[in-house]
Amino acid sequence: MARQSSVLIFLFILGCASSETKLDPQVAKEYFLEGVKAKEEKRYDDAIEVFTESLKYHPTYAQAYYHRALASLKMRKREGVSIPTRKLIDAAFRDFTSAINASPTFSDAYFSRAMIFLSRARYREAVADLLVCCRYSPRDVEPHLILAQIYETRFEGKAVLAMNHYVQYADLGGTDEAALAKAEAWKALQKEPVKEVPVSQDDEKRARELHEEFKLLFAEEKEEAAIKAIGELVEKYKHTRYFKGREVALTALYRSLKGTSDKP
């Protein structure tokens, strides 16, 4: 009985040793290139399988994790795929994270993971990843645009940060017209001296009324009247505390809308 047990243990050890994959970066690269080809040919299930083989030979191959994640995201858009969308996105998220762990300066992986965070309304995590993108890819315009939009629409009191990212987006050569208008408005605002005007309760009340009036008209798609209301607020009531608390966003919005309405 003891001899039989010894034989079984030996066979078990031998089996484990024979099934162990030997690390080989060159073999991993060959599998990786095969996976890239399959992904380009839209054979995403094959691509995922081949990238997985690549990682067996090189477990810290950041590019293999990254491209496997992209293949998972592409696969979810194909008809007839039996894997639930959520599961594919979760797999992509894990692979983007593994790519980042393997290569902490991999800005494309940070950006892609930020998009998943953003799709799940996890804005703080998205901002953190996008800021890393800006650090490691300082000439990339897209992170600045998305950061500006997040700061402007998803956080209170972050209007200045939003406008600064719009400016960086513009300075780097971004082409989104709305973003460029906001950047230009913010630059112009820095040059305009503000005269001190006594503030009355009536002025404060009128500033609030004009803002509410603008929001109502804008929601009803009465663009001309909405621009007139916000124009009066910006041009006549910029001295009020109500306006100063929203100065950056209101000014940029007004100039953006006014610039759009002036176009033929």
Side-chain angles (χ1 to χ4, degrees):
M1 185 69 178
R3 180 177 295 178
Q4 184 179 6
S5 298
S6 299
V7 171
L8 289 173
I9 291 170
F10 174 76
L11 290 174
F12 175 77
I13 294 171
L14 183 63
C16 290
S18 63
S19 62
E20 185 179 349
T21 302
K22 184 179 179 181
L23 301 183
D24 191 329
Q26 184 56 41
V27 172
K29 185 175 181 180
E30 291 171 3
Y31 274 116
F32 170 75
L33 294 175
E34 185 181 337
V36 170
K37 182 180 179 183
K39 183 165 71 71
E40 289 173 349
E41 294 173 353
K42 300 182 180 181
R43 295 183 288 111
Y44 302 121
D45 46 355
D46 292 339
I48 290 170
E49 184 176 339
V50 178
F51 288 134
T52 301
E53 286 299 311
S54 174
L55 288 163
K56 289 179 181 177
Y57 291 92
H58 189 351
T60 58
Y61 199 166
Q63 287 287 347
Y65 283 117
Y66 177 73
H67 283 274
R68 188 170 71 175
L70 295 181
S72 294
L73 293 179
K74 290 285 188 181
M75 181 182 276
R76 82 189 197 281
K77 297 181 179 179
R78 290 180 55 183
E79 293 183 5
V81 175
S82 59
I83 305 173
T85 296
R86 177 81 184 195
K87 189 172 182 180
L88 288 168
I89 295 175
D90 286 344
F93 180 87
R94 288 192 297 271
D95 277 344
F96 287 136
T97 300
S98 294
I100 290 166
N101 292 337
S103 178
T105 62
F106 197 165
S107 61
D108 285 346
Y110 282 105
F111 183 86
S112 298
R113 189 174 71 172
M115 295 303 98
I116 296 179
F117 278 134
L118 192 56
S119 72
R120 295 176 173 177
R122 294 171 62 179
Y123 303 116
R124 294 189 184 280
E125 292 98 327
V127 164
D129 276 0
L130 289 167
L131 288 172
V132 176
C133 291
C134 294
R135 185 189 315 152
Y136 293 127
S137 294
R139 303 301 303 172
D140 192 355
V141 301
E142 201 68 16
H144 287 292
L145 177 60
I146 299 172
L147 277 167
Q149 292 168 341
I150 295 173
Y151 281 134
E152 185 178 22
T153 63
R154 301 301 177 183
F155 292 100
E156 290 288 336
K158 300 294 184 182
V160 172
L161 284 174
M163 293 304 152
N164 286 339
H165 280 288
Y166 280 128
V167 169
Q168 290 180 74
Y169 172 78
D171 290 347
L172 288 170
T175 58
D176 183 89
E177 291 189 6
L180 295 178
K182 291 176 182 179
E184 194 62 33
W186 178 240
K187 287 180 180 179
L189 183 63
Q190 307 312 301
K191 301 174 184 178
E192 293 182 1
V194 178
K195 295 180 180 179
E196 290 294 330
V197 179
V199 182
S200 69
Q201 290 301 315
D202 288 342
D203 286 351
E204 292 290 347
K205 180 182 177 183
R206 182 57 181 157
R208 286 193 296 272
E209 290 174 348
L210 283 168
H211 193 193
E212 292 302 319
E213 183 180 334
F214 161 75
K215 289 190 286 187
L216 181 62
L217 290 168
F218 193 76
E220 294 175 351
E221 299 186 357
K222 297 178 180 178
E223 186 174 330
E224 187 175 344
I227 293 174
K228 183 178 179 181
I230 197 173
E232 184 178 349
L233 172 58
V234 170
E235 294 171 2
K236 293 185 179 180
Y237 295 93
K238 63 173 62 179
H239 61 288
T240 61
R241 288 188 297 275
Y242 182 87
F243 177 81
K244 287 180 179 179
R246 304 158 178 79
E247 181 174 356
V248 174
L250 288 173
T251 303
L253 180 60
Y254 171 54
R255 291 185 175 174
S256 177
L257 290 172
K258 190 171 182 292
T260 302
S261 68
D262 290 340
K263 292 182 180 179

